[in-house]
Amino acid sequence: MKDVAFGQYYPADSFVHRLDPRLKLLFLIAFITAIFLATDFYGLAACAGVLLVIVLCSRVPLGKVFRAIRGILFLVLFTAVIQILFNHGDKAYWGGPAVYWEWKIFAVTQEGIVLAIFLVLRLALLVMCSSMLTYTTTPVALTDGIESLLTPLKWLHIPVHVLALVMNMALSLIPVLTGETERIMNAQKARGADFETGNIFRRIKAIVPILIPLLVSSIDRAEELGNAMDSRCYRGDIKRTKYKKLRFGWRDLIAFLLGAALVTGVVLLRVYVGGIL
Amino acid sequence: MRAIEFRDVSYTYEDGDADGDPSNAQRGGFQIKHLNFAVEEGEFVAVLGHNGSGKSTLARLSNRLLAADSGEIEVFGTPLTKKTVYEIRKQIGIVFQNPDNQTVASIVEDDVAFGAENIGLAREEIGARISFALKAVGMEQYRNATIARLSGGQKQRVAIAGVLALKPRIMILDESTAMLDPRGRREIMDVVVRLNREEKITVILITHFMEEALLADRAIVMNRGEIVMQDKPAGIFARHEELLTYNLTLPRIGMIVKGLNAGGMPVSDTLDLEKLAGEIAECVS
């Protein structure tokens, strides 16, 4: 429970932290596109290199960035196992037989192993770059960025400001609700509840006594939070000002050029070199 | 000048109206009956009462989180109505019980800015108010900290700062120390007393800790939706038999005096720690 890394801000004063959140959001989209466009290890290496530069510039400890993978560890392992067991390709990447073992629908091949490594790296990069956004951007800045990028939707009478505020509050409540879940789990454990053994259905059933108190307390919380917001003169969008204004500066320009170069580079690699897929 | 005045205010909870407070869950039909009281500008008033006595309802009525069924409420001479409610909410800041349920942002300065942004202040003014508010609660070095990592007392001080950023003239603390450890409670009380003395903010402190009531100029005791006692704290605590009937006890120092008297040590009925210590020393020597 404690390593829910996603959505946690890592406070530091760095180049990356000070970038315009809108740019960081667009950069992330570009970066994810680049990762998906990369069809060989060179492309991924280029992405990883750029990510490494970003991490070093941001002063976020590398270990913390790697820890973000833990959240999707199951997905990563699952993908890898599926690739290794079911890929029947006969491409040889190194000496020795292209197919090591085959039985009915199962097979272990060189291609399967290579693809498994490739996909694991791709997933890991995806998660690491996404968590870099939340590590280096305060939720308020992030939602301000989203709000600003979604401004055109205001013409369609979509309450962009409210959506942004809701996102912001959801992010700030993650640690609170995590703590609450832990408390409830401990209380149920103390009364003999068992969350660790039994088959998947038993375990899912064991979650119900956690979810219900959590839901009830969240509703109470929401009511009190509403009262607190009302007391602090919240009236929706009416006459509201913003303390933090977003500004596009020279740093942002550099980051923008870097992102554009990365995407172009990966696209060129794909067009002229081809890939393993 | 009168800071706030309740004239014959009544309110009835409808069945199942839990009001977000678990202790109110069985409040269907609970009533606040003909409440009359006034608080002068600059005064520090404690409101005492056991769970469900109606003291939190009083806070919610005062800025129209709940609209009174009958009677009038005036804040600095302005009647509280649907029209004036937003102006009056600028004047009255309420700090609630659970610090986790009052934060809208994860970073201290963003949260403190929330109220000031809501009333449409200019950027520079908001910045100045954040500095003022954080300084007033002694949290200026935590301006960029993550709220989730702070202690309970610190979180609650941030909540107070969030209210102060609106520059209210009245501050209501609705059991704001109830969830804190003794150290957190002391932090909050130090801040509140200082705000009252130095910033001249009128304070209404709703609490069930009798020790906290000792710091007030005046105390109001509520029971079943009615005001049953109103006096200086010393006067209230002198009537301990009556207090017991409202499920309230004496502050610890009062208990000690009572115990000493019962055990045959003739100390006077004081709530002053220094004075009591002196008297005990005299008796012993």
Side-chain angles (χ1 to χ4, degrees):
Chain A
M1 273 301 165
K2 286 231 171 70
D3 34 77
V4 186
F6 197 79
Q8 301 279 45
Y9 178 61
Y10 182 86
D13 188 24
S14 80
F15 173 80
V16 184
H17 283 74
R18 281 194 299 259
L19 284 176
D20 188 316
R22 287 170 296 188
L23 183 105
K24 278 191 266 192
L25 275 161
L26 293 177
F27 190 94
L28 179 67
I29 295 170
F31 201 92
I32 290 174
T33 317
I35 292 173
F36 275 110
L37 284 178
T39 46
D40 57 12
F41 286 101
Y42 297 114
L44 283 192
C47 294
V50 173
L51 183 65
L52 185 70
V53 172
I54 295 173
V55 174
L56 291 180
C57 286
S58 72
R59 299 197 201 157
V60 175
L62 259 177
K64 220 172 152 59
V65 182
F66 280 115
R67 233 170 293 153
I69 304 174
R70 249 199 260 168
I72 58 149
L73 200 59
F74 178 74
L75 184 71
V76 170
L77 291 179
F78 187 73
T79 316
V81 168
I82 294 280
Q83 272 306 328
I84 291 175
L85 283 184
F86 293 101
N87 193 304
H88 288 267
D90 50 7
K91 215 162 153 190
Y93 290 85
W94 57 81
V99 180
Y100 287 112
W101 174 79
E102 202 162 11
W103 180 72
K104 291 190 179 168
I105 55 163
F106 302 104
V108 177
T109 62
Q110 285 194 10
E111 194 177 312
I113 294 169
V114 170
L115 266 178
I117 296 172
F118 184 78
L119 288 176
V120 165
L121 287 177
R122 179 187 265 179
L123 279 173
L125 274 175
L126 276 177
V127 175
M128 287 195 287
C129 70
S130 315
S131 59
M132 273 311 287
L133 177 71
T134 49
Y135 280 147
T136 61
T137 319
T138 64
V140 168
L142 195 60
T143 45
D144 277 355
I146 295 173
E147 189 179 347
S148 167
L149 289 175
L150 292 182
T151 308
L153 291 180
K154 275 186 187 164
W155 298 329
L156 300 173
H157 296 284
I158 293 171
V160 176
H161 156 78
V162 177
L163 288 178
L165 186 74
V166 167
M167 265 189 287
N168 192 0
M169 282 165 52
L171 283 176
S172 72
L173 279 172
I174 288 175
V176 175
L177 291 183
T178 315
E180 180 104 352
T181 312
E182 240 166 89
R183 262 198 302 284
I184 296 172
M185 275 178 90
N186 285 338
Q188 309 289 36
K189 271 187 202 158
R191 288 186 281 164
D194 177 8
F195 304 111
E196 268 107 41
T197 59
N199 61 29
I200 186 101
F201 295 106
R202 272 190 70 141
R203 286 203 216 176
I204 290 174
K205 251 174 114 178
I207 293 176
V208 175
I210 302 172
L211 283 186
I212 291 174
L214 190 64
L215 193 68
V216 172
S217 79
S218 301
I219 292 171
D220 282 347
R221 224 177 254 290
E223 169 119 27
E224 208 172 302
L225 191 54
N227 275 339
M229 286 169 68
D230 276 342
S231 300
R232 280 160 80 186
C233 302
Y234 182 66
R235 305 174 67 180
D237 222 353
I238 305 171
K239 280 200 250 161
R240 201 161 191 276
T241 47
K242 277 254 155 73
Y243 173 52
K244 285 183 177 154
K245 278 254 164 58
L246 301 177
R247 265 197 221 103
F248 201 87
W250 58 269
R251 288 190 203 93
D252 304 298
L253 188 70
I254 295 176
F256 172 76
L257 293 175
L258 196 67
L262 176 72
V263 178
T264 325
V266 174
V267 170
L268 287 180
L269 261 178
R270 184 182 177 132
V271 173
Y272 291 107
V273 185
I276 54 170
L277 290 175
Chain B
M1 191 180 184
R2 286 265 153 88
I4 187 165
E5 185 172 8
F6 275 53
R7 276 199 300 267
D8 212 24
V9 174
S10 298
Y11 181 82
T12 307
Y13 280 94
E14 277 162 36
D15 268 340
D17 187 355
D19 194 28
D21 179 350
S23 66
N24 295 349
Q26 295 94 30
R27 271 196 176 178
F30 175 84
Q31 281 184 320
I32 287 273
K33 284 164 272 183
H34 307 290
L35 221 52
N36 279 294
F37 77 95
V39 176
E40 295 298 321
E41 187 171 9
E43 211 180 358
F44 183 163
V45 175
V47 179
L48 301 168
H50 64 88
N51 283 348
S53 60
K55 51 195 199 307
S56 283
T57 311
L58 185 141
R60 279 151 220 245
L61 286 168
S62 67
N63 76 345
R64 220 168 190 276
L65 287 176
L66 297 173
D69 296 335
S70 63
E72 282 144 46
I73 298 169
E74 264 183 21
V75 177
F76 290 106
T78 312
L80 174 62
T81 62
K82 221 174 183 171
K83 267 191 189 150
T84 58
V85 62
Y86 293 110
E87 280 311 306
I88 284 176
R89 281 182 185 167
K90 284 185 209 169
Q91 313 265 349
I92 302 186
I94 303 188
V95 183
F96 293 91
Q97 187 180 71
N98 187 342
D100 286 333
N101 296 353
Q102 298 174 66
T103 37
V104 292
S106 10
I107 303 298
V108 170
E109 70 167 349
D110 294 332
D111 188 67
V112 176
F114 179 74
E117 290 176 328
N118 285 339
I119 58 173
L121 296 175
R123 245 192 108 241
E124 297 70 31
E125 173 68 13
I126 297 176
R129 287 200 179 190
I130 296 173
S131 307
F132 154 77
L134 287 178
K135 196 162 174 246
V137 298
M139 291 285 289
E140 60 267 65
Q141 69 275 37
Y142 292 95
R143 190 168 176 145
N144 291 308
T146 309
I147 296 179
R149 300 220 176 89
L150 301 177
S151 74
Q154 289 173 325
K155 282 184 193 169
Q156 198 62 296
R157 281 194 278 162
V158 172
I160 294 178
V163 163
L164 283 178
L166 285 154
K167 296 227 166 154
R169 294 160 78 186
I170 305 173
M171 196 149 91
I172 302 179
L173 293 110
D174 185 3
E175 305 229 27
S176 306
T177 57
M179 299 186 76
L180 306 179
D181 55 13
R183 187 174 157 195
R185 281 215 294 277
R186 208 170 42 242
E187 285 172 22
I188 299 303
M189 290 317 295
D190 287 348
V191 167
V192 168
V193 169
R194 200 170 62 236
L195 287 173
N196 178 248
R197 306 252 156 88
E198 286 168 21
E199 304 288 334
K200 306 285 174 233
I201 294 177
T202 310
V203 173
I204 300 177
L205 176 78
I206 296 171
T207 182
H208 59 253
F209 290 107
M210 301 300 138
E211 273 76 15
E212 292 175 3
L214 285 176
L215 300 166
D217 302 321
R218 188 154 62 96
I220 291 173
V221 177
M222 289 193 71
N223 189 46
R224 298 184 188 211
E226 286 175 295
I227 291 178
V228 286
M229 293 164 93
Q230 218 181 135
D231 201 349
K232 290 210 155 44
I236 298 255
F237 294 126
R239 293 147 71 182
H240 24 85
E241 300 304 323
E242 199 182 337
L243 269 180
L244 277 177
T245 63
Y246 306 129
N247 282 329
L248 296 175
T249 55
L250 290 176
R252 183 158 302 146
I253 180 165
M255 306 280 259
I256 292 172
V257 168
K258 222 176 144 192
L260 288 175
N261 280 331
M265 188 184 273
V267 289
S268 64
D269 203 357
T270 179
L271 293 170
D272 185 335
L273 196 64
E274 295 290 318
K275 197 173 163 209
L276 178 64
E279 286 187 23
I280 294 175
E282 240 170 64
C283 287
V284 173
S285 63

